[in-house]
Amino acid sequence: MFIEQPAKWLRWIFPKAVWRMDPTEKAVYLTFDDGPIPEATPFILDTLKQYDVKATFFMVGDNVSKHPELYQRIKDEGHQVGNHTHNHLGAFKHWTVTYIVNTIKANKLIHARLFRPPHGIMRWSEYYWLGKHFRIVMWDLVTRDYSKWLTAEDVLNNVKKYARNGSIITFHDSLKSIDKLHYALPESIKWLKQEGYSFKIFE
């Protein structure tokens, strides 16, 4: 549960970041990290379109540079975009200035108001600076679709177990996740709709 739904103390470390939206509203916020890539993004977009759902894509600048047509399709189909650094940097593996410059580089391509740190963690200095320029969006539920230890059914079950009012649900737009998402994404959307959830994006 520490991974799927972060503990309160972790949320306290970054108090101005968004971890969950309105707990009184029966709505969820689907998010996708790490794309766009041709092996995953078209299927995700096709599925979202099929079920009339909008989502937020936290994109890696280098992938946007390589696949601008996918970035444009995401925008054209009414989804929201967020910055996920240019090279998917680990916050503790680089100097703060390197991390920030890399994020700025990505935003010249992404043009986002939202930011999510890769791996969901950053230095406090990075959090402080980025919080002045971006709305930092974390998560309320990580599906763990990237895990080689989980099946597609496990991913779906994580959604069923942990989704709640205002949940920010994180999937991954990546090679590690796409095989599981072929089953888990449409089934998750269908289940959430059956449970009465609406789908929203960040303004």
Side-chain angles (χ1 to χ4, degrees):
M1 182 174 177
F2 174 78
I3 297 175
E4 290 88 349
Q5 208 164 53
K8 288 183 179 179
W9 67 262
L10 184 58
R11 300 170 190 242
W12 291 337
I13 293 175
F14 306 116
K16 293 183 179 180
V18 181
W19 293 88
R20 183 184 179 190
M21 298 299 280
D22 187 352
T24 67
E25 183 179 19
K26 202 168 181 65
V28 294
Y29 294 70
L30 297 189
T31 67
F32 294 87
D33 290 2
D34 301 350
I37 58 172
E39 297 87 351
T41 307
F43 168 78
I44 291 169
L45 290 172
D46 288 346
T47 302
L48 295 173
K49 187 174 184 178
Q50 178 183 350
Y51 292 97
D52 193 25
V53 169
K54 303 302 182 193
T56 301
F57 288 77
F58 288 93
M59 293 184 278
V60 173
D62 187 50
N63 286 339
V64 172
S65 177
K66 292 174 181 175
H67 310 292
E69 74 286 353
L70 292 177
Y71 168 84
Q72 194 58 50
R73 182 180 169 189
I74 288 167
K75 294 279 289 183
D76 289 347
E77 295 187 6
H79 302 291
Q80 184 58 278
V81 299
N83 189 324
H84 204 47
T85 77
H86 193 76
N87 299 103
H88 201 266
L89 296 190
F92 292 100
K93 295 181 180 179
H94 303 274
W95 295 106
T96 296
V97 66
T98 302
Y99 192 87
I100 290 171
V101 167
N102 195 265
T103 302
I104 293 171
K105 181 179 181 180
N107 220 46
K108 290 178 180 179
L109 297 168
I110 301 169
H111 310 290
R113 303 184 308 274
L114 309 174
F115 176 77
R116 174 179 284 166
H119 314 296
I121 195 71
M122 66 189 108
R123 297 177 190 268
W124 225 89
S125 55
E126 295 156 352
Y127 163 74
Y128 175 79
W129 190 91
L130 291 169
K132 291 185 174 184
H133 300 274
F134 296 91
R135 186 182 189 189
I136 299 174
V137 178
M138 298 299 221
W139 71 92
D140 184 58
L141 163 57
V142 173
T143 62
R144 296 185 66 201
D145 52 352
Y146 54 82
S147 175
K148 64 181 180 180
W149 307 111
L150 269 60
T151 66
E153 190 69 39
D154 292 330
V155 173
L156 172 61
N157 286 336
N158 278 338
V159 173
K160 291 181 176 181
K161 184 174 182 180
Y162 295 108
R164 55 184 179 171
N165 288 3
S167 279
I168 300 169
I169 302 175
T170 300
F171 293 96
H172 290 79
D173 191 1
S174 69
L175 294 175
K176 291 181 179 179
S177 301
I178 189 58
D179 286 346
K180 290 185 278 290
L181 288 188
H182 279 114
Y183 171 79
L185 180 58
E187 291 301 317
S188 293
I189 292 173
K190 286 191 285 186
W191 181 84
L192 288 163
K193 287 194 169 203
Q194 288 167 4
E195 293 296 305
Y197 289 100
S198 60
F199 296 82
K200 301 186 76 173
I201 58 175
F202 302 96
E203 299 299 330

